[in-house]
Amino acid sequence: MLAVGRSGGTFLLLCFSFLALVTAESPYRFFDWNVTYGDIYPLGVRQQGILINGQFPGPDIHSVTNDNLIINVHNSLDEAFLISWNGVQNRRNSYVDGMYGTTCPIPPRTNYTYILQVKDQIGSFYYFPSLAFHKAAGGFGGIRILSRPGIPVPFADPAGDYTVLIGDWYKSNHTDLKARLDRGRRLPSPDGILINGRSKGATLNVEQGKTYRFRISNVGLQNSLNFRIQNHRMKLVEVEGTHTMQTMFSSLDVHVGQSYSVLITADQSPRDYYVVASSRFTNKIITTTGILRYSGSSTSASGPIPGGPTIQIDWSLNQARAIRTNLTASGPRPNPQGSYHYGLIPLIRTIVFGSSAGQINRKQRYGINSVSFVPADTPLKLADFFKINGVYKINSISDKPTGGGFYLDTSVLQVDYRTFIEIVFENKEDIVQSYHLNGYSFWVVGMDGGQWNTGSRNGYNLRDAVSRSTVQVYPKSWTAIYIALDNVGMWNLRSEFWARQYLGQQLYLRVFTTSTSLRDEYPIPKNSRLCGRAKGRHTRPL
């Protein structure tokens, strides 16, 4: 039993009383996961995959707004492992975010229990392994957060709800890909594309006349993908937790790291139809197919595989601009999504992030604003909590591109809690980039070609821009987002192009307040693993 003094006991009692209060009416869902290696054959050759409870991809997480998720992860690998939750905001609790800057890895042959709350969220997301290059071996799966009973949803309950994980894939083992990057070499183009872990034959079953929800996430390593279904149109209804205007699309660009929900009505004759995912903006177009199978079908999919866009930037840009928030629909709460008038809030600060690429010490590196991120020896959030000096420097990265020399550092930029800021992503390269910010969703107010300047704001969407957590930046272009900094913590901002992320194209936003109120940030979880220079310390007073 933990022994505490009177003041420490009072503090703990207050902490746990508060946590019990905020979760008293929220259900608990328990998950027990065993992470192992296993042989997989997604492209027809044997590979070492990362399985969760023997599954590739891993099991879905089904939840409802405000649920508490208790996820006990047993690491049966021979190396450290960590899971992060793409799009789950972990409000007031970046300690469990699952990135190395916030959370200690789970050592081999041990376990760790994540305690998450999907507070004030709905929508479609996914989880993934965040260490090393594990993402290239599996360990990912879908997350769905349903609305609470009584909260209106702007469409009828579908007859079925499917997770559709698409992504590019290599035949090489993740260890070989990581070794290549560690030697300072770039990765070749991926070898194929998977739909729910299969390069062909993934099947989605439907009944004629019924409507289904497909939650599509691009869990791949670098390529934007176009998704489409033969002879069927898709009604977009949700993007990363935001109910959208219900626009019909014949195909949908899903950039790496992004998630979309669409409704599909089985309104064709009962047979099999191709489900297609193909690469975008690549010299060689890679395509894979699955099957949409009607109940009672005895006819295989036939005819030409439906074509989609290939290298057209304008097509994708116009589609992105057409995705807008449904202002009258409820989100996780009953009030309409449009009740928050983000376009009327004064900006406190503008930050510009430009991608960087080059060689450092004769090895390929990537970065942001001329800084290529290197992990510290201790998770940054733990260094903050225990006041360990020398782990990192605040504002070790500029808030504007410097044009200076390319160098290594542990990039941390401090921003103030409860301020409203603008971030502009600049991409001067010839590839489509994709950025994700943990802990937040943001309004995508503008994107266009050329160089951003203050006059670019004249074209911003300040009324019904979509709110999401992952956004693309087209070649020789910029994308602007607005963020309300309402979630204290240390939050990873990264390229979703996974080799670039691994080689330094990431940083941490330190959302800071001097307040120590539990209303602003929870205390460090009692069961937090402590590593690096935090090892041997205690999460609670002795």
Side-chain angles (χ1 to χ4, degrees):
M1 181 177 291
L2 182 66
V4 298
R6 179 174 297 176
S7 60
T10 302
F11 174 74
L12 286 177
L13 181 61
L14 288 173
C15 287
F16 294 131
S17 296
F18 179 79
L19 292 175
L21 177 65
V22 298
T23 61
E25 297 181 356
S26 301
Y28 285 76
R29 297 179 188 267
F30 296 87
F31 304 84
D32 196 60
W33 288 355
N34 186 27
V35 180
T36 62
Y37 294 124
D39 289 343
I40 57 174
Y41 300 81
L43 294 179
V45 298
R46 184 167 67 89
Q47 294 177 260
Q48 183 189 67
I50 292 178
L51 315 181
I52 297 179
N53 292 349
Q55 299 178 44
F56 170 77
D60 279 357
I61 293 175
H62 293 190
S63 61
V64 175
T65 301
N66 294 345
D67 279 357
N68 297 283
L69 309 181
I70 314 301
I71 307 171
N72 187 16
V73 179
H74 305 264
N75 179 13
S76 297
L77 309 181
D78 59 6
E79 57 185 325
F81 187 75
L82 201 54
I83 293 180
S84 189
W85 323 93
N86 215 67
V88 175
Q89 293 175 8
N90 293 313
R91 300 195 63 79
R92 293 180 281 181
N93 193 11
S94 63
Y95 294 104
V96 296
D97 200 43
M99 302 298 293
Y100 179 68
T102 59
T103 313
C104 287
I106 308 170
R109 295 171 295 282
T110 63
N111 74 299
Y112 176 70
T113 301
Y114 291 89
I115 303 174
L116 317 176
Q117 187 183 26
V118 288
K119 179 70 174 172
D120 288 337
Q121 285 193 266
I122 57 168
S124 310
F125 311 99
Y126 67 91
Y127 61 86
F128 68 95
S130 61
L131 287 185
F133 218 62
H134 291 158
K135 193 181 179 188
F140 45 72
I143 301 173
R144 63 183 67 172
I145 308 174
L146 301 179
S147 296
R148 290 173 291 166
I151 305 294
V153 175
F155 50 87
D157 287 344
D161 195 332
Y162 288 107
T163 294
V164 183
L165 303 178
I166 60 176
D168 49 18
W169 196 258
Y170 287 91
K171 293 180 179 178
S172 300
N173 281 335
H174 68 100
T175 50
D176 297 330
L177 297 173
K178 177 180 178 295
R180 183 183 178 111
L181 293 172
D182 290 341
R183 292 194 299 269
R185 300 174 61 193
R186 299 183 183 185
L187 296 184
S189 297
D191 297 304
I193 295 171
L194 306 185
I195 301 175
N196 285 347
R198 303 183 66 173
S199 59
K200 57 183 178 180
T203 301
L204 304 166
N205 294 305
V206 298
E207 293 186 24
Q208 189 178 33
K210 295 184 177 181
T211 297
Y212 297 81
R213 183 173 185 171
F214 289 2
R215 300 173 186 264
I216 308 161
S217 294
N218 185 339
V219 298
L221 300 173
Q222 69 181 63
N223 283 329
S224 302
L225 301 178
N226 183 266
F227 182 85
R228 52 200 183 272
I229 301 175
Q230 186 181 27
N231 293 0
H232 291 74
R233 288 170 61 79
M234 299 175 287
K235 180 186 290 185
L236 182 67
V237 294
E238 178 255 328
V239 173
E240 296 166 16
T242 298
H243 287 132
T244 62
M245 297 298 292
Q246 296 183 10
T247 307
M248 301 296 295
F249 294 110
S250 57
S251 71
L252 186 64
D253 274 358
V254 187
H255 303 279
V256 64
Q258 293 184 340
S259 298
Y260 292 87
S261 273
V262 299
L263 297 180
I264 306 290
T265 298
D267 55 5
Q268 301 296 305
S269 59
R271 63 179 184 88
D272 292 358
Y273 296 88
Y274 290 118
V275 176
V276 185
S278 60
S279 62
R280 290 284 269 126
F281 321 114
T282 54
N283 293 327
K284 178 184 176 183
I285 304 302
I286 309 171
T287 301
T288 196
T289 60
I291 296 296
L292 184 75
R293 175 160 294 155
Y294 278 61
S295 177
S297 169
S298 59
T299 306
S300 300
S302 61
I305 295 173
T310 54
I311 61 172
Q312 303 89 340
I313 296 291
D314 287 348
W315 187 99
S316 188
L317 176 61
N318 290 334
Q319 183 176 80
R321 288 172 171 167
I323 298 172
R324 297 178 292 127
T325 294
N326 184 337
L327 297 178
T328 61
S330 297
R333 298 185 179 188
N335 50 300
Q337 294 179 138
S339 59
Y340 190 94
H341 301 288
Y342 68 91
L344 301 179
I345 303 173
L347 292 171
I348 299 300
R349 184 178 182 183
T350 295
I351 297 170
V352 181
F353 288 134
S355 63
S356 306
Q359 290 204 340
I360 299 177
N361 299 326
R362 298 183 179 180
K363 291 185 176 182
Q364 181 65 47
R365 297 290 300 186
Y366 299 95
I368 297 173
N369 289 359
S370 300
V371 185
S372 185
F373 182 88
V374 289
D377 60 9
T378 304
L380 312 178
K381 187 61 183 171
L382 297 187
D384 271 1
F385 179 80
F386 291 112
K387 297 180 172 56
I388 304 171
N389 294 323
V391 173
Y392 73 93
K393 294 179 293 184
I394 296 172
N395 296 327
S396 49
I397 182 172
S398 170
D399 65 0
K400 302 285 190 301
T402 64
F406 197 27
Y407 64 97
L408 302 173
D409 206 341
T410 303
S411 322
V412 178
L413 183 67
Q414 181 163 299
V415 289
D416 292 331
Y417 179 49
R418 289 182 176 165
T419 59
F420 194 78
I421 69 170
E422 171 187 43
I423 294 180
V424 179
F425 296 100
E426 290 186 339
N427 178 15
K428 296 183 179 180
E429 300 182 63
D430 292 323
I431 63 169
V432 175
Q433 303 212 30
S434 184
Y435 287 95
H436 178 86
L437 175 60
N438 282 17
Y440 282 90
S441 60
F442 46 73
W443 291 273
V444 184
V445 294
M447 53 178 63
D448 209 347
Q451 182 79 27
W452 180 88
N453 57 61
T454 55
S456 302
R457 295 182 182 134
N458 295 329
Y460 281 6
N461 178 354
L462 298 181
R463 182 174 181 271
D464 61 356
V466 70
S467 178
R468 63 185 314 165
S469 57
T470 309
V471 69
Q472 71 273 24
V473 192
Y474 293 103
K476 310 290 186 184
S477 300
W478 56 267
T479 293
I481 63 175
Y482 281 1
I483 311 176
L485 294 173
D486 59 358
N487 195 12
V488 174
M490 187 76 72
W491 302 107
N492 187 244
L493 187 154
R494 63 179 175 272
S495 170
E496 288 285 0
F497 191 138
W498 214 240
R500 285 177 168 248
Q501 177 272 155
Y502 180 75
L503 293 179
Q505 197 164 329
Q506 60 171 302
L507 58 90
Y508 282 83
L509 283 184
R510 184 182 191 247
V511 182
F512 179 73
T513 178
T514 57
S515 168
T516 57
S517 170
L518 294 175
R519 290 189 298 270
D520 297 325
E521 186 173 27
Y522 291 153
I524 186 172
K526 184 170 63 173
N527 71 329
S528 286
R529 286 191 169 275
L530 303 180
C531 56
R533 284 187 252 175
K535 193 171 184 179
R537 299 177 185 242
H538 303 281
T539 61
R540 296 293 185 271
L542 291 176

